[in-house]
Amino acid sequence: MDNQYSYNTDVTGGIGIDGKDTTGRRSKAKNRGLEGLRGIAMILTLVALLIPIVFKAGDIALQMIYVVVGYITAVTSFSALKKGQFKVSEFYIKRFKNYCPEILIVFFLYCGLAVILVHSATRAVGKAVIESVLGLVLFFIVFPALFIIWNKIAVKKGQQYSYIFLVVTALVIAIANAIAGEQTVNVYPFIVGMIAALVTKKKLKYESLPKDYKRNRLLMFLGAAVLVIIGMLFFTGENVFLRLAAVVVVAAMGLMVWLATASYLKIGGVVDIPVFKMIGKMWLEFITSFAGLTALFAAKEWTGIGARLILAVLIAGLTYLLNKIIHFIGPDSIKEKLKAAGNYSDTKGKMIKMIPLFIVTVFMLLGLFGLFVFGSTKDDAEDSTANATTELTTLPVTEKITTEATTEATTEAPKPADSKKVTIVGDFMLQGIEYTLVEYMPDVYIDASQNRQVAYSDDVVKDLKDNGNLRDIVVIILGTNGDFEEETGQLLIDAIGKEKKIYWVNTYGTSLPQINDVNKRIEKLAGKNANLNVIDWYSLAAAHPEYVSDGGPFLTSDGVDALSKLIYDNVH
């Protein structure tokens, strides 16, 4: 496609493990835009966190980070290969040295923070942090094999066949994940980045390119960016079709990376402004902080708009702080820091030098303590059996709240009901109350997803039925995320089945324009289906404004307990 303007072919120059240039000024121009794209993705993720009603799949922006990691990994490996220096053992050693210490530090730090704020969720927070980097770890494990096979095919069959191999591999992984609904351990975006790095670029001069060529490349970049935004707005991953649509969005991100790093275009220079580059360099601290803090806030049941604002600020602040602390106490420099502290004659100087290391050590020890002390309770034991108290569909980090955390029994705890017959399907409203619900109904089966809507929830119900998890009593907590047609609601009822007893919790929220229409449709459906009853949360919340934050729909701690008890009283 570019041959008419090319001098000769060339693959992109080298980038260091942290996105730093290792081959001189020339590669800086070739690989600009990477940190900027990562920085923009991180900002978009925080914006989506603040307004989930608008960005129903905001987590998809995180995939750009993984695409760039795949790109950088492929570029550094190709640079070493050209010099005859690529060795699998050295690849693994470098990645272990550069990533493992930081991941472990962040893991124990957030476990320590969980011990202080909500000790029963220590394991859940730690699990969220680990899951945020599982795809990265798996990619590093399989990359040498993919890279070596790609190179052998390129040598024997030609570059075209080597690209086909990578594309087919990426598609097989993406389609398998989409069908299985598995999103946590997904190497597809990394392989997309790898493809973007290894696809041949041409040595062109910007000034010599025709105007329509420049315009078309710019339109390609903007079109891909628009597709990413559409994905954040709508591609929630609720069913296989939306997950396949998300696959296309990640491919568009690969195109954006490929165009941004093209040395003959100026796109990379536009996105690589200093503030975006600075943010983009802290990507690993960001994804782990995002996962850890989101799980922590979910465990505390802090879900209101104010809580989301605080969460976004904390993610940004702790990302920056962790970046500075981890670089300060890097494994190679701890001994130097201790030695430097010892050279100070005054106690104050020694303390100042030792404070960061001391704070990190305390939190890590707390985290280690919490994992052992709060990670072996009765509820955790129940979680590991077939009769787990709560099982959730595997979803992206902000769409998933694990329930391995325990709930402390008190003398005023309600008498447990026979909840083995109950399945509850819902959205973020269900996520916000599930810890309290399991106090009332210990054996309930919960399937919650933050951005879930009534549309396509019939597919969720069919999956539950196929897996034997759709019990005799089904509670629906849907409608807050958006309006739906009566026919769509009837599809959901039909999917559950006439033999099931169904309860539908109606909605409340003064800031949501669709609430009245949603509640009217729920009432109409109840009038047409003898097995459907309405749980009237609207009337209770309207009579008790203290149950909701800022007029709803987000709940206060009193509201969490009130809604949980309301469901319990109706069902039992």
Side-chain angles (χ1 to χ4, degrees):
M1 182 166 55
D2 296 326
N3 289 340
Q4 57 181 322
Y5 308 120
S6 65
Y7 299 126
N8 62 333
T9 60
D10 180 38
V11 179
T12 51
I15 302 180
I17 193 68
D18 293 319
K20 297 178 180 178
D21 173 47
T22 59
T23 60
R25 294 181 180 178
R26 184 165 165 267
S27 61
K28 284 184 180 180
K30 282 179 172 292
N31 298 292
R32 59 190 176 181
L34 294 179
E35 300 298 358
L37 287 174
R38 279 203 290 214
I40 293 171
M42 290 157 66
I43 293 171
L44 285 176
T45 302
L46 291 181
V47 171
L49 181 67
L50 291 173
I51 44 177
I53 298 297
V54 176
F55 293 98
K56 296 179 173 59
D59 289 355
I60 205 168
L62 289 173
Q63 303 304 308
M64 178 62 81
I65 295 174
Y66 305 139
V67 172
V68 172
V69 171
Y71 183 98
I72 291 174
T73 305
V75 164
T76 54
S77 299
F78 185 81
S79 178
L81 182 67
K82 286 196 297 185
K83 300 174 184 176
Q85 298 174 351
F86 180 78
K87 295 181 180 179
V88 174
S89 59
E90 289 185 5
F91 175 88
Y92 285 130
I93 290 170
K94 284 183 179 180
R95 269 66 194 176
F96 182 87
K97 180 180 177 182
N98 280 281
Y99 292 96
C100 190
E102 181 168 345
I103 291 171
L104 287 176
I105 289 172
V106 174
F107 171 74
F108 285 114
L109 277 175
Y110 278 110
C111 287
L113 189 60
V115 169
I116 295 173
L117 294 178
V118 51
H119 61 76
S120 61
T122 301
R123 274 194 173 182
V125 172
K127 183 179 179 182
V129 173
I130 293 300
E131 286 183 343
S132 70
V133 295
L134 279 181
L136 176 72
V137 173
L138 181 59
F139 172 68
F140 285 154
I141 291 173
V142 302
F143 173 81
L146 289 174
F147 185 67
I148 290 170
I149 293 172
W150 169 83
N151 185 55
K152 287 186 178 296
I153 294 176
V155 171
K156 292 182 179 180
K157 299 288 186 179
Q159 287 187 340
Q160 182 178 359
Y161 288 97
S162 66
Y163 299 148
I164 292 174
F165 160 71
L166 288 179
V167 171
V168 170
T169 301
L171 287 176
V172 168
I173 292 172
I175 293 172
N177 282 337
I179 294 173
E182 176 58 51
Q183 298 295 317
T184 303
V185 187
N186 187 4
V187 299
Y188 169 67
F190 299 94
I191 298 178
V192 168
M194 182 179 176
I195 294 170
L198 296 177
V199 169
T200 303
K201 291 192 176 78
K202 313 299 179 182
K203 289 183 177 179
L204 307 173
K205 291 184 178 180
Y206 183 80
E207 295 77 10
S208 66
L209 297 176
K211 289 183 179 180
D212 61 339
Y213 184 92
K214 301 175 188 176
R215 184 186 64 251
N216 291 340
R217 294 299 181 273
L218 178 60
L219 290 175
M220 287 171 63
F221 183 88
L222 293 176
V226 169
L227 183 57
V228 171
I229 297 298
I230 292 173
M232 293 177 65
L233 291 171
F234 303 111
F235 299 162
T236 58
E238 285 295 308
N239 56 65
V240 66
F241 299 107
L242 289 176
R243 289 192 289 270
L244 287 173
V247 168
V248 178
V249 171
V250 175
M253 292 178 181
L255 177 62
M256 291 174 68
V257 168
W258 189 78
L259 290 170
T261 54
S263 59
Y264 56 84
L265 297 174
K266 294 186 176 181
I267 295 172
V270 174
V271 299
D272 234 357
I273 63 176
V275 64
F276 292 157
K277 288 182 66 175
M278 180 194 72
I279 295 171
K281 291 179 184 296
M282 298 182 281
W283 64 272
L284 185 56
E285 294 88 352
F286 179 84
I287 60 173
T288 49
S289 295
F290 186 85
L293 286 172
T294 301
L296 193 58
F297 269 57
K300 290 291 290 183
E301 298 175 348
W302 294 337
T303 57
I305 184 61
R308 288 179 177 274
L309 180 60
I310 294 171
L311 175 59
V313 172
L314 280 177
I315 291 172
L318 287 180
T319 293
Y320 180 79
L321 185 62
L322 280 173
N323 179 264
K324 295 302 178 183
I325 289 176
I326 288 171
H327 281 79
F328 180 82
I329 63 166
D332 294 334
S333 59
I334 289 179
K335 190 179 292 185
E336 295 178 10
K337 298 293 189 302
L338 293 174
K339 184 178 179 181
N343 292 335
Y344 277 79
S345 57
D346 61 302
T347 305
K348 185 178 179 180
K350 290 182 179 181
M351 287 293 292
I352 292 174
K353 283 289 182 180
M354 294 296 293
I355 282 175
L357 184 60
F358 175 76
I359 293 174
V360 171
T361 302
V362 168
F363 272 89
M364 290 181 67
L365 290 175
L366 271 176
L368 185 62
F369 170 79
L371 287 171
F372 281 100
V373 175
F374 304 120
S376 58
T377 60
K378 177 183 176 183
D379 285 22
D380 271 328
E382 291 176 356
D383 248 355
S384 64
T385 66
N387 294 323
T389 57
T390 306
E391 300 175 39
L392 301 179
T393 306
T394 304
L395 294 165
V397 63
T398 60
E399 295 183 12
K400 176 181 177 183
I401 304 176
T402 57
T403 54
E404 290 179 297
T406 62
T407 50
E408 294 184 71
T410 66
T411 56
E412 300 179 358
K415 182 180 179 181
D418 182 15
S419 51
K420 293 181 180 179
K421 298 180 179 179
V422 182
T423 294
I424 307 181
V425 179
D427 50 27
F428 70 92
M429 293 293 290
L430 176 56
Q431 286 183 332
I433 65 173
E434 59 185 337
Y435 287 101
T436 305
L437 270 175
V438 296
E439 293 182 12
Y440 287 89
M441 296 181 281
D443 297 310
V444 66
Y445 189 99
I446 295 177
D447 191 316
S449 172
Q450 177 180 350
N451 300 310
R452 181 171 289 159
Q453 298 193 40
V454 177
Y456 304 113
S457 290
D458 55 319
D459 290 337
V460 175
V461 167
K462 290 173 184 176
D463 289 340
L464 289 172
K465 187 179 290 186
D466 291 341
N467 294 321
N469 294 321
L470 194 67
R471 299 173 178 176
D472 294 337
I473 299 172
V474 179
V475 180
I476 303 169
I477 308 179
L478 293 171
T480 308
N481 275 330
D483 198 0
F484 63 93
E485 296 296 329
E486 186 178 328
E487 294 78 8
T488 306
Q490 188 61 52
L491 285 175
L492 176 57
I493 302 300
D494 292 342
I496 295 173
K498 293 182 179 180
E499 73 281 4
K500 308 290 186 183
K501 187 70 174 178
I502 305 173
Y503 295 87
W504 197 321
V505 181
N506 63 16
T507 57
Y508 180 81
T510 57
S511 62
L512 303 179
Q514 80 274 13
I515 291 301
N516 289 333
D517 292 335
V518 167
N519 289 341
K520 286 178 182 178
R521 287 186 176 88
I522 295 174
E523 289 290 345
K524 284 185 178 180
L525 288 168
K528 294 180 179 180
N529 295 272
N531 63 329
L532 173 61
N533 294 285
V534 178
I535 297 179
D536 192 7
W537 168 242
Y538 178 89
S539 296
L540 183 62
H544 295 274
E546 70 274 13
Y547 287 169
V548 294
S549 175
D550 299 325
F554 300 109
L555 308 177
T556 63
S557 56
D558 289 340
V560 168
D561 188 67
L563 180 53
S564 300
K565 188 175 186 302
L566 180 66
I567 294 171
Y568 172 82
D569 290 341
N570 277 267
V571 173
H572 298 282

